[in-house]
Amino acid sequence: GKDLFGGMGAGGGGQDFGVARGNGDDEVGKATPQRPRAAGPNDFKGQGTSREALKQQFEAHVENKAQAAAAEIRKIDEDKKKYEDLKFQMADAVEQRVTAWAGPKHTRKNLRAMLSTFDSVLWEEARSKWKPVGLHEIVMPDQVKKVHRKAILLVHPDKVGSASMESKFLAEQVHSVLHEALEVFRKQENC
């Protein structure tokens, strides 16, 4: 713990030497399993015995690590920018397809109609996984919710893994439209 002057006093310098502290139930001094540490500046293995040479080697090691991390961040940023650019290019085509399926943006209220025609907005891979639903199968609110849940799972952005970029964008849009339509449905049906 800390002593009266804010420094570390006896009995708890904050360092863990792999020995359990006694709390009454533990055997004092019994070694505890240690988590493996992430590679970092501590994974440095210098060569030689000269303090100056080791210091230079360590600084070079840290600089190399920093450059590698910076390169990785730049690559992530570039990939994100490419994704956003492609998304912008495909936005019109995806929006036209969603509008053809669900109607204009401010009139997307009929969840039953969307679910009964859901296969018309899907890409090939997803269409093969969807069983078309007729309006007669989604009369009751519980039936609508059940089919909605299946549809949401099919187009969830995290579940679309191997699909093309256009399919991923389409899935994002359809997921959003279905979510909004369910909110409207719940208000209309009081459920």
Side-chain angles (χ1 to χ4, degrees):
K2 291 190 176 197
D3 63 15
L4 295 174
F5 302 108
M8 298 309 284
Q15 296 177 342
D16 186 0
F17 295 104
V19 177
R21 302 190 197 292
N23 65 0
D25 296 334
D26 297 348
E27 295 176 35
V28 176
K30 180 179 174 186
T32 57
Q34 299 293 310
R35 284 188 290 150
R37 293 184 181 180
N42 296 335
D43 65 349
F44 170 71
K45 302 279 189 249
Q47 296 181 355
T49 57
S50 164
R51 184 177 178 98
E52 192 59 36
L54 287 171
K55 183 177 178 183
Q56 289 174 352
Q57 290 173 20
F58 180 73
E59 288 171 355
H61 171 76
V62 169
E63 181 63 28
N64 289 340
K65 287 263 194 203
Q67 288 176 358
E72 188 175 331
I73 289 172
R74 278 193 299 275
K75 184 180 181 328
I76 290 170
D77 287 345
E78 288 172 8
D79 291 346
K80 188 175 181 179
K81 185 177 181 337
K82 285 179 188 175
Y83 176 82
E84 292 299 325
D85 289 346
L86 192 56
K87 189 174 180 178
F88 181 74
Q89 292 170 1
M90 296 178 150
D92 288 338
V94 168
E95 184 59 34
Q96 286 176 352
R97 195 162 170 186
V98 170
T99 300
W101 163 65
K105 224 173 200 161
H106 301 291
T107 62
R108 296 176 182 167
K109 295 178 182 171
N110 192 342
L111 182 59
R112 286 183 175 98
M114 287 184 212
L115 292 172
S116 68
T117 59
F118 187 60
D119 56 326
S120 68
V121 77
L122 296 175
W123 55 101
E124 276 307 310
E125 183 183 345
R127 194 174 296 133
S128 66
K129 297 176 184 177
W130 179 255
K131 178 186 164 234
V133 178
L135 282 172
H136 66 282
E137 298 175 77
I138 48 178
V139 175
M140 301 302 294
D142 288 345
Q143 294 169 321
V144 173
K145 287 181 188 177
K146 183 177 177 183
V147 173
H148 175 269
R149 219 174 351 235
K150 289 179 182 179
I152 282 286
L153 284 174
L154 187 62
V155 295
H156 193 281
D158 293 341
K159 306 281 185 190
V160 183
S162 65
S164 69
M165 291 300 268
E166 184 177 358
S167 299
K168 289 179 182 182
F169 301 142
L170 181 61
E172 286 178 20
Q173 292 295 319
V174 170
H175 185 270
S176 176
V177 168
L178 283 173
H179 183 70
E180 291 168 9
L182 181 66
E183 294 303 315
V184 173
F185 177 79
R186 285 183 173 155
K187 288 177 185 169
Q188 289 173 347
E189 299 286 330
N190 294 324
C191 60

